[in-house]
Amino acid sequence: MQMSNLQNKRILLGITGGIAAYKSADLVRRLREQGVDVRVVMTAGAQRFVNPLTFQALSANPVHTELLDPEAEAGMGHIELARWADVVLIAPASANFIARLAHGLADDLLTTLCLATTAPIAIAPAMNQQMWQTEVTQENLDRLQKRSIHQFGPAKGGQACGETGFGRMLEPLEIVDELSTLFETGSLQDIKVLITAGPTREALDPVRYITNHSSGKMGYAVARAAAEAGADVTLVSGPVSLSTPPGVRRVDVISASEMATAVMEIVEDCQIFIAAAAVADFFCPHVPDQKIKKIGEDEMTITLKKTPDILASVAALPKSPFTVGFAAETEKLEEYAQDKRKRKSLNMIAANRVDDPALGFHVDENALHVFWEGGEKELPRAPKQKLARDLIELIAKKFSQQK
Ligand code: C5P
């Protein structure tokens, strides 16, 4: 059972009116054990079976129940909630809910969210075996399947009503297992990918250094997404306070020159190189052994030298991998990014504006404009993890076309 790729995922758990709703309490616990951020939405029917307080306590988040609730809308409104989710999972999904979803109704919060989200939707049906078998339910399920809505279960077995047959909701751990397969795209299966992330730190003396605002979040999100896509990922990381994504090999470095050495060593047998690190442009070539004293002059001069351009060096290798660079710009995004792509001979460049405080450094959201020879794609504002997944899918597509 492989479940670790659920860490930090945002699951919107919809609970509808069925006795299996009691199992969803355990499901929330199991999801949180995997590091999932769970937000629960309950239909009116679900609240007859289990009190929202139970889910509030277990998910550690407020439970959403009303579409037109000014208080909830002032917190995380329904559109925000729809955008927040990496996956919408409805467990249990009742026959009534399946019918409403199949026909595109938006008459309560949960159905509205299902229409408003671009995230994948999965249902874990639970109902009486006769309700399951009946033709109209099966027709509704066919419709959902055509719309690429994932279906987990149901299982066969004894039911709360005393009957036996198909219609039992899967057990929480089985649902968690199914969920984790949604994040395995396989688009980079067994491809060796090298990624740089984070800032670098250039020493001035034994206690001081120059660095930049990079948090490493984007590079780490890209590493996680590449691993989810089946790649064999090595992450060369500058100093950051982030944990290593599951399945990723991490090599820690401090300075640009250490990063360059590590990359040049590892890149040889890699097929894709993604440079998401904010490498310092200059370093101090003569670091004194002792701390610089501030006695004497009001001014001081430090001579800095250009750091090696890791990305350009990799792209210039005789057998260079598919290279992807990042460009953080405050103006003329397209012009500067395209110029950088050509100058460094990159296969692809992902540009983002860093003049908007809501995007870029340190924050969880970003937006990218990706360019390659003869094409471009805008990846609109989204949580960095979601964006990283879209970027990886784009890289996988272009990489396979090139091959
Ligand atoms: O030229 P600029 O620094 O803006 O280019 C940014 C891109 O180049 C990023 O992908 C960054 O990781 C990479 N880079 C590098 N080595 C450097 C400077 C930048 O790999 N010394």
Side-chain angles (χ1 to χ4, degrees):
M1 188 147 48
Q2 196 205 337
M3 300 192 290
S4 55
N5 69 354
L6 288 175
Q7 205 183 356
N8 291 340
K9 295 294 183 300
R10 299 161 171 198
I11 310 288
L12 191 65
L13 175 62
I15 301 172
T16 71
I19 181 59
Y22 82 92
K23 286 195 198 174
S24 302
D26 189 38
L27 175 60
V28 173
R29 286 206 56 192
R30 300 297 182 181
L31 288 170
R32 293 207 61 209
E33 277 168 13
Q34 299 296 316
V36 172
D37 194 356
V38 188
R39 283 186 176 261
V40 175
V41 175
M42 296 179 81
T43 62
Q47 292 169 66
R48 309 283 303 262
F49 285 93
V50 187
N51 195 294
L53 258 184
T54 305
F55 290 103
Q56 183 178 313
L58 291 171
S59 69
N61 277 315
V63 171
H64 305 261
T65 53
E66 302 291 334
L67 177 58
L68 303 172
D69 174 0
E71 207 176 300
E73 288 293 307
M76 194 186 260
H78 68 277
I79 297 297
E80 246 175 305
L81 204 52
R83 215 170 57 190
W84 170 88
D86 288 325
V87 168
V88 177
L89 166 68
I90 296 105
S94 65
N96 178 49
F97 179 78
I98 287 169
R100 291 194 297 141
L101 188 62
H103 294 275
L105 297 194
D107 56 352
D108 69 357
L109 179 59
L110 188 55
T111 45
T112 305
L113 286 171
C114 289
L115 289 189
T117 193
T118 55
I121 301 175
I123 54 168
M127 65 197 72
N128 161 275
Q129 55 89 23
Q130 191 51 52
M131 290 171 81
W132 171 256
Q133 280 182 39
T134 195
E135 200 178 334
V136 67
T137 298
Q138 289 303 318
E139 278 169 15
N140 289 335
L141 288 160
D142 281 347
R143 274 171 173 261
L144 295 184
Q145 206 170 25
K146 284 198 189 91
R147 295 209 314 252
S148 301
I149 290 178
H150 304 270
Q151 188 183 311
F152 301 162
K156 194 176 177 181
Q159 301 199 308
C161 52
E163 294 175 20
T164 303
F166 275 104
R168 251 174 89 109
M169 188 169 88
L170 291 189
E171 294 306 316
L173 277 179
E174 292 171 321
I175 294 178
V176 171
D177 207 13
E178 293 265 8
L179 206 52
S180 83
T181 62
L182 293 188
F183 292 99
E184 294 166 6
T185 65
S187 60
L188 287 179
Q189 198 62 46
D190 300 327
I191 300 293
K192 289 201 166 113
V193 179
L194 176 60
I195 298 168
T196 65
T200 66
R201 217 180 248 178
E202 311 303 326
L204 293 178
D205 71 10
V207 291
R208 304 183 179 94
Y209 56 79
I210 335 176
T211 190
N212 58 61
H213 287 300
S214 168
S215 62
K217 282 183 179 167
M218 193 65 213
Y220 273 61
V222 171
R224 183 187 292 273
E228 282 167 11
D232 175 351
V233 185
T234 306
L235 178 63
V236 175
S237 172
V240 297
S241 50
L242 298 171
S243 49
T244 314
V248 169
R249 202 178 306 110
R250 169 167 159 186
V251 178
D252 284 314
V253 296
I254 306 279
S255 66
S257 107
E258 279 175 30
M259 187 173 272
T261 308
V263 166
M264 296 321 270
E265 205 178 292
I266 302 164
V267 80
E268 250 177 50
D269 55 14
C270 287
Q271 290 129 294
I272 297 178
F273 176 60
I274 306 171
V279 185
D281 291 316
F282 291 93
F283 75 108
C284 180
H286 305 293
V287 181
D289 289 339
Q290 307 299 331
K291 183 178 167 187
I292 302 169
K293 289 291 171 197
K294 52 186 176 208
I295 34 175
E297 307 296 321
D298 276 349
E299 290 181 5
M300 75 179 293
T301 306
I302 298 174
T303 305
L304 300 175
K305 233 180 119 182
K306 206 139 183 49
T307 53
D309 191 319
I310 305 169
L311 179 57
S313 313
V314 169
L317 288 171
K319 276 167 67 186
S320 66
F322 185 93
T323 50
V324 184
F326 275 77
E329 307 291 350
T330 53
E331 55 169 354
K332 297 189 192 158
L333 190 80
E334 173 161 5
E335 187 186 325
Y336 288 165
Q338 287 285 33
D339 174 63
K340 204 168 286 182
R341 185 181 66 76
K342 289 179 195 143
R343 200 161 25 85
K344 301 196 189 202
S345 311
L346 310 179
N347 295 96
M348 197 182 247
I349 194 150
N352 66 306
R353 290 194 71 117
V354 285
D355 55 343
D356 180 349
L359 302 173
F361 292 133
H362 284 295
V363 292
D364 289 323
E365 290 206 331
N366 208 349
L368 294 173
H369 197 153
V370 188
F371 301 94
W372 58 91
E373 186 65 54
E376 61 183 277
K377 185 167 184 184
E378 258 185 273
L379 303 178
R381 180 179 172 167
K384 282 182 178 169
Q385 194 57 65
K386 211 174 220 177
L387 208 56
R389 260 181 243 132
D390 291 345
L391 179 64
I392 283 294
E393 289 312 306
L394 195 58
I395 292 173
K397 196 164 139 201
K398 295 289 149 199
F399 170 71
S400 71
Q401 283 171 359
Q402 184 197 265
K403 275 205 300 184

